[in-house]
Amino acid sequence: MAANLENARKKMMRWRILRILYVGRPYPVGEGLIMEVMDDADLPVTQTELRSALVYLKDKDYVDYKEVRQTGEAAHWEVQLRSKGVDFVEYNIPDDPGITRLQQ
């Protein structure tokens, strides 16, 4: 039961991330802002969880990210939605079993 809940949470988290990036496009969105929005939506994530989800989404060609380093600050990731991610959020391509997309 707990594994099912965790799996459902991951799938919903991936959808929320895509939606956040969709709203932020065409600009990259920092991982800190993504985490704040997720927290405000009562779906808090750790940096490790977020990065794991971003790697998954990048492997599926929905997003792209890069590590940004500024002098005196810790490195962070900036994330952008790719064209396939836009198509997915706009319901132009079929459902993905790894993402819980809300029904139109």
Side-chain angles (χ1 to χ4, degrees), residues 80-95:
Q80 248 180 317
L81 201 58
R82 295 182 50 87
S83 59
K84 183 178 177 184
V86 172
D87 284 339
F88 187 78
V89 172
E90 292 179 350
Y91 296 85
N92 295 325
I93 59 176
D95 286 345

Side-chain angles (χ1 to χ4, degrees), residues 15-33:
W15 171 247
R16 293 279 176 97
I17 291 167
L18 292 174
R19 292 286 305 151
I20 292 165
L21 297 174
Y22 183 81
V23 171
R25 61 188 265 273
Y27 304 103
V29 178
E31 67 183 332
L33 180 58

Side-chain angles (χ1 to χ4, degrees), residues 7-56:
N7 192 32
R9 182 178 176 275
K10 286 179 185 178
K11 290 178 178 183
M12 178 56 71
M13 178 175 49
R14 294 171 187 150
W15 171 247
R16 293 279 176 97
I17 291 167
L18 292 174
R19 292 286 305 151
I20 292 165
L21 297 174
Y22 183 81
V23 171
R25 61 188 265 273
Y27 304 103
V29 178
E31 67 183 332
L33 180 58
I34 296 170
M35 290 173 62
E36 284 182 38
V37 173
M38 297 289 281
D39 191 48
D40 288 347
D42 292 326
L43 192 60
V45 296
T46 65
Q47 185 181 50
T48 302
E49 289 173 320
L50 175 61
R51 287 186 175 186
S52 177
L54 293 174
V55 168
Y56 176 90

